[in-house]
Amino acid sequence: MSTILKKNRNLAFPGLLWFLVFFLLPLSVILIYSITERSLISGEPVKFTMANFVQVFQKRHYLIILLRSLRISFFTTVISITFSYPVAYFLAKNTRHDRILIVMLMIPFWINYLIRIFAWKLILSDNGILNQVLMGLHLIDEPLRIMYTQTSVLLGLVYTYTPMMVLPLYASLSRIDDSLIEASLDLGASRFRAFFDITFRLSLTGIFAGTLLVFIPALGSFAIPAILGGTDSVLIGNMIENQFNIVGNWNAGSAFTLSLAALAIILVLSYSRIFGLESIYRNRGI
Amino acid sequence: MGNIVEVINVSKNYGDIKAVENISFNVKEGEFYSLLGPSGCGKTTILRILGGFIEQDSGKVIIDGKDMKGISPNRRNTSMVFQDLALFPHMNVRENIIYGLRKRKTRPAAIDKKFKRIVDTLGLSGFGKRPVSALSGGQRQRVALARSLIIEPEILLLDEPLASLDKKLRIAMQDELKKIQRKIGTTFLYVTHDQGEALTMSDTIAVMNEGKIIQTGSPDYIYDYPDNIFTADFIGAGNFIPLSSVNNNGQFLSIRAEKGGEFRSASRIPHSKSLSVPVFFIRPEKIKIGSNNPENSNIFTGTVIASVFEGPDIRFEVDSLELGILRIEIKNDGTPPGINKSGKITFYWSYKDGMVLFR
Amino acid sequence: MKNRISYGLGIYTVLFFIYIFTPLILIFIFAFNRGEGYVFPLQGFTWRWFIEFFRDSLARESIGNSIIIAVSSATISTILASLLTIGLIKGKFRRPHLYITFLMLPVLMPSLTIGIAALVFFRTINFPLGIPIVIIAHVSISMSYVFLIMMSRIEGFSLSLQEAAIDLGASWSSSIKDIVFPSLMPAIVAGWLFAFMVSWNEFIVTYFLIGNNSTLPIYIFSQLRFGISPKVNVISVLVALFTFAVILILVSAGKLNRRISPV
């Protein structure tokens, strides 16, 4: 066939090679760690075992952390969809200054998110700004205890990742042709129905793309729970970090890591069955 | 004038699909040659084989006496005008047009001279600095032409370049394209599915269907003497009257329609395959309305079931008991056709019009 | 009715922007506040934290490392991903969707897992931790994102552009250089910025792989643990100023670009 297509094809190989060597190969290495007992470097004979994986789902302590991570990332996603939908809708349909507002929305991303999380610590801590304001107004007598709870972790995650939801939502909403809604109203639908049947349904791809950008980082978050959370808000990310940096058990750590990766992939793939996987890259928001 | 292009027994398959099947044709130097056919007939495949973008599975392509086998597009003295025009979006008009000269390492002075000549010829003077996105459809068309013509190709390959234009602009561009071709004398090989385009511009038309060329000839010859049902149907409009018998009585053909009508024709019976069904083909404008039957014509009566006013023409659909439903087209010359209230009309056509084809 | 709704949405959007920007504004205020703590009322203007910040060699080194890592990983990642996209979408592949699905894996996994895999892999082959490894890991994370961004835009790129260039006498390589890359420039810029942002914000992967070096996020994280000096706030003021400058440059460059050729 065309020689142009053949030559173009060769351009893909450096990237594919990189992907193979620096992504798939490392993944296979931790896969080996996760199903063996000792370090591969030690030189001792390798013994295969499933014990690393079994403990993830058997030890009550680990299971609690796993479920907590799922719950918190789920709520982060739901809240961020709720928060950002009206904003995305306004940007897409009700204003002509949408481009500059989108650029403004991107500004916080350039300022490291740890600094932004630190600001939330200033706001939420016992003698923080929120409590100073509320006590100054005599709305409360003693400080609200928000800091170092799951609530503060959730607030931090929502704050950090919500703008990530706005962008793909905005992209999917602004692509909806207004004449579709007019047609639906014309055919006798109420405004409410027209919104649900047309606008909302067509924005589902945006919600899906946004969910990838919110749910997955929230599920694997480490720094936000480490800064804002207390002992009751340890998430999988912190648990994995602990396995590698404190406990030093690479085999168990690898099993945790793979479980987290598999969990994220399975959840997203089953979720994507609703939309079709290609909607991820069809959506220009990301 | 010799043949600039010789295509000899070329075939090309995509998997099980035969895109082009054993095609041969020649294009003379300076000719406007059109490949006309419905989408999927293989006409674009032929064009892309000539341009060097795909290679034929078998057969030979000879351009200016040289076998083109294994010669890449940038080494061929052909140039293609693409269906989507493929203007480079990040370059302005001038950069687009002189791209080919720059790749040929032409000296700047020569580039300037050639650029000036081509924009003058194509009426693009003063557009050089414009971004291509700021041009109208017709201007974009001409930039694409200029970009291909400036490198002075032996053959210009055009892949339905007018398809995206609206009707009025398309017709204007047809005239212009023909004029440009006359002026510069380059051989044009034009691919289209639009029979009107092919008829108005071409010196020669090759009608294609299902990967094969089924008839070649000048536009008027192909229009007046199609030698098969496909060509007759694809080019212009026509009536196809199913026949039950055709007899040659020496001077005329004595013809009997399936519905019973009997008439004569001065045409000859083309060679037919056995088991094929004869059909009488006549163009709507060859049938006249009126009862002043001249000599050597067939006269029938029928009822008008629909009439459509088309400006210069008036079109009737007439139900004739002996022939079936026919389409008749008359010139709108201001005098009302002789149709009474009941819609009954008499119509006729000359023995020398129409022909027998086989299905 | 419709006006009332859009009015309400407008107010909501303003509140949303206030919510997004309030923490940043607080940080800016305390970067210039004389007091050590973070309490109102404010105690007057000072440059003290800026001076302390610039005297802190670790902070300077961290920012430098962050810039090196973000620029190199974004550049490598954008080059690889654009070549990958052209090759995969505009080249002859038997089953492009199989490759695309595999290439999306890094997007579907938390970056932490990619960092851990890189850590274990490089320790196993006994490769020393440090900035090069961090760059490699960041490329692995961001390449798939850039690939997705490029892919959503390359659909608008018609292969006939490249064919036209070759038809007019360009070699294959100059068709890539003259036509394909410039046509995809907006997507390439968007991809680079995204990859830069991913790397600039990335903490956990860097934390595992950086060894004895430091980057901006690492520096901030360690500051957060030891008690917070307002000089940390200075960083965000500087970054914000820098960001504004970049945005201004991009916006004016974008306008300029659009005037030459609105793609």
Side-chain angles (χ1 to χ4, degrees), chain A residues 132-149:
Chain A
Q132 285 176 42
V133 170
L134 290 179
M135 301 229 293
L137 294 170
H138 298 288
L139 287 170
I140 49 171
D141 295 330
E142 52 187 271
L144 294 173
R145 305 210 62 114
I146 305 171
M147 201 51 208
Y148 307 119
T149 65

Side-chain angles (χ1 to χ4, degrees), chain B residues 48 51 53 73-74 76 78-80 82 84 86-91 96 99-101 103-104 131 133 147-148 151, chain C residues 158-172 174-175 177-180 182-183 259-263:
Chain B
R48 293 174 62 78
F53 297 108
N74 48 356
R76 292 187 182 203
T78 58
S79 188
M80 178 104 118
F82 290 82
D84 61 1
L87 298 181
F88 306 134
H90 56 290
M91 296 183 186
N96 260 284
Y99 184 80
L101 294 180
K103 290 294 127 180
R104 284 171 168 68
S133 56
R147 187 178 70 176
S148 285
I151 60 172
Chain C
S158 154
L159 195 67
S160 60
L161 287 177
Q162 199 187 354
E163 288 180 340
I166 290 174
D167 187 52
L168 292 168
S171 63
W172 173 80
S174 54
S175 78
K177 186 166 62 75
D178 296 348
I179 308 300
V180 182
S183 305
R259 204 150 16 125
I260 299 166
S261 97
V263 180

Side-chain angles (χ1 to χ4, degrees), chain B residues 243-308:
Chain B
L243 305 179
S244 56
S245 71
V246 180
N247 292 310
N248 194 341
N249 65 3
Q251 207 180 353
F252 298 111
L253 299 178
S254 291
I255 297 169
R256 191 185 166 87
E258 265 180 14
K259 298 235 173 188
E262 291 186 355
F263 55 94
R264 285 172 160 186
S265 169
S267 66
R268 280 173 301 160
I269 306 181
H271 50 281
S272 70
K273 294 175 200 120
S274 58
L275 293 175
S276 55
V277 183
V279 166
F280 188 74
F281 163 72
I282 183 155
R283 299 266 180 217
E285 72 272 17
K286 299 287 187 196
I287 307 178
K288 310 279 193 296
I289 293 176
S291 46
N292 57 331
N293 52 320
E295 260 183 83
N296 295 334
S297 56
N298 302 303
I299 306 168
F300 287 94
T301 56
T303 316
V304 174
I305 52 177
S307 71
V308 178

Side-chain angles (χ1 to χ4, degrees), chain A:
Chain A
M1 229 196 122
S2 165
T3 49
I4 299 175
L5 292 179
K6 266 187 202 152
K7 284 181 174 171
N8 282 358
R9 178 181 62 182
N10 296 339
L11 295 176
F13 293 131
L16 289 176
L17 188 68
W18 182 286
F19 187 76
L20 195 71
V21 173
F22 293 125
F23 179 75
L24 289 182
L25 195 58
L27 267 191
S28 358
V29 171
I30 60 166
L31 179 67
I32 294 172
Y33 269 99
S34 69
I35 53 171
T36 52
E37 264 178 15
R38 279 185 215 88
S39 164
L40 294 181
I41 326 169
S42 63
E44 290 169 54
V46 175
K47 261 168 97 185
F48 290 99
T49 173
M50 286 310 284
N52 300 316
F53 280 105
V54 170
Q55 66 168 338
V56 177
F57 298 99
Q58 262 187 358
K59 282 196 186 166
R60 197 177 141 68
H61 171 63
Y62 294 145
L63 206 58
I64 289 175
I65 293 178
L66 194 70
L67 291 176
R68 180 191 297 148
S69 299
L70 282 173
R71 194 177 63 237
I72 288 188
S73 349
F74 172 76
F75 280 121
T76 304
T77 312
V78 171
I79 295 171
S80 75
I81 294 172
T82 324
F83 270 21
S84 52
Y85 205 97
V87 176
Y89 189 89
F90 179 79
L91 291 178
K93 299 288 174 200
N94 291 85
T95 177
R96 266 183 287 157
H97 307 294
D98 49 342
R99 277 172 192 279
I100 188 73
L101 289 172
I102 288 288
V103 171
M104 274 180 69
L105 204 59
M106 295 303 293
I107 290 176
F109 283 107
W110 298 97
I111 296 164
N112 201 283
Y113 78 101
L114 292 173
I115 299 184
R116 289 179 278 145
I117 289 308
F118 162 62
W120 276 100
K121 196 169 179 173
L122 294 184
I123 295 171
L124 297 177
S125 60
D126 288 0
N127 55 353
I129 288 148
L130 182 68
N131 279 321
Q132 285 176 42
V133 170
L134 290 179
M135 301 229 293
L137 294 170
H138 298 288
L139 287 170
I140 49 171
D141 295 330
E142 52 187 271
L144 294 173
R145 305 210 62 114
I146 305 171
M147 201 51 208
Y148 307 119
T149 65
Q150 290 187 27
T151 315
S152 56
V153 173
L154 186 63
L155 282 173
L157 287 169
V158 167
Y159 174 79
T160 307
Y161 294 118
T162 297
M164 281 297 192
M165 181 64 82
V166 177
L167 300 178
L169 258 184
Y170 159 78
S172 69
L173 282 168
S174 58
R175 258 179 304 150
I176 298 174
D177 191 347
D178 284 338
S179 60
L180 287 177
I181 296 158
E182 279 159 22
S184 149
L185 291 173
D186 193 48
L187 292 169
S190 67
R191 267 194 186 282
F192 187 72
R193 269 224 79 87
F195 173 79
F196 258 88
D197 290 353
I198 313 280
T199 313
F200 186 72
R201 289 190 62 151
L202 289 175
S203 67
L204 285 177
T205 54
I207 292 183
F208 176 61
T211 300
L212 285 186
L213 296 172
V214 174
F215 181 79
I216 292 170
L219 190 63
S221 62
F222 164 77
I224 294 172
I227 297 167
L228 295 179
T231 43
D232 78 327
S233 30
V234 171
L235 300 187
I236 315 177
N238 311 79
M239 189 170 88
I240 291 175
E241 190 261 352
N242 191 54
Q243 282 296 329
F244 279 92
N245 279 2
I246 316 289
V247 182
N249 184 344
W250 283 18
N251 305 87
S254 297
F256 286 143
T257 308
L258 279 180
S259 307
L260 170 61
L263 193 66
I265 291 172
I266 288 167
L267 283 174
V268 169
L269 286 185
S270 47
Y271 183 51
S272 77
R273 294 199 69 119
I274 314 170
F275 305 105
L277 205 56
E278 70 275 8
S279 65
I280 304 170
Y281 62 83
R282 287 277 150 73
N283 221 307
R284 298 165 46 131
I286 54 170

Side-chain angles (χ1 to χ4, degrees), chain B residues 144-358:
Chain B
L145 272 177
R147 187 178 70 176
S148 285
L149 289 173
I150 202 170
I151 60 172
E152 292 161 13
E154 273 167 309
I155 315 144
L156 189 68
L157 309 169
L158 300 103
D159 185 9
E160 309 210 29
L162 305 184
S164 59
L165 300 181
D166 63 65
K167 196 177 172 190
K168 214 166 178 180
L169 189 56
R170 196 161 63 227
I171 289 167
M173 279 305 295
Q174 286 171 17
D175 294 348
E176 198 167 342
L177 214 52
K178 182 69 201 167
K179 276 185 207 148
I180 291 166
Q181 197 260 342
R182 283 271 153 76
K183 193 146 75 181
I184 55 173
T186 304
T187 311
F188 276 31
L189 186 60
Y190 193 92
V191 154
T192 183
H193 68 271
D194 184 318
Q195 41 114 357
E197 249 171 60
L199 288 176
T200 46
M201 293 189 290
S202 319
D203 297 317
T204 306
I205 295 177
V207 181
M208 286 187 71
N209 190 31
E210 289 174 348
K212 294 184 189 123
I213 290 181
I214 52 176
Q215 191 175 359
T216 312
S218 64
D220 50 341
Y221 185 82
I222 284 198
Y223 185 83
D224 288 337
Y225 303 104
D227 62 12
N228 59 79
I229 295 256
F230 178 83
T231 307
D233 194 26
F234 192 73
I235 296 176
N239 293 300
F240 296 91
I241 303 168
L243 305 179
S244 56
S245 71
V246 180
N247 292 310
N248 194 341
N249 65 3
Q251 207 180 353
F252 298 111
L253 299 178
S254 291
I255 297 169
R256 191 185 166 87
E258 265 180 14
K259 298 235 173 188
E262 291 186 355
F263 55 94
R264 285 172 160 186
S265 169
S267 66
R268 280 173 301 160
I269 306 181
H271 50 281
S272 70
K273 294 175 200 120
S274 58
L275 293 175
S276 55
V277 183
V279 166
F280 188 74
F281 163 72
I282 183 155
R283 299 266 180 217
E285 72 272 17
K286 299 287 187 196
I287 307 178
K288 310 279 193 296
I289 293 176
S291 46
N292 57 331
N293 52 320
E295 260 183 83
N296 295 334
S297 56
N298 302 303
I299 306 168
F300 287 94
T301 56
T303 316
V304 174
I305 52 177
S307 71
V308 178
F309 180 76
E310 283 181 335
D313 304 306
I314 303 172
R315 206 175 74 213
F316 296 97
E317 243 158 71
V318 175
D319 191 1
S320 161
L321 283 177
E322 294 165 292
L323 300 172
I325 292 174
L326 296 178
R327 207 168 124 144
I328 301 175
E329 219 167 81
I330 60 166
K331 284 267 159 278
N332 174 18
D333 54 6
T335 51
I339 303 169
N340 61 26
K341 278 236 170 87
S342 63
K344 286 254 183 291
I345 58 163
T346 307
F347 58 90
Y348 62 90
W349 72 88
S350 164
Y351 289 172
K352 63 180 182 6
D353 289 328
M355 65 194 69
V356 175
L357 299 173
F358 286 91

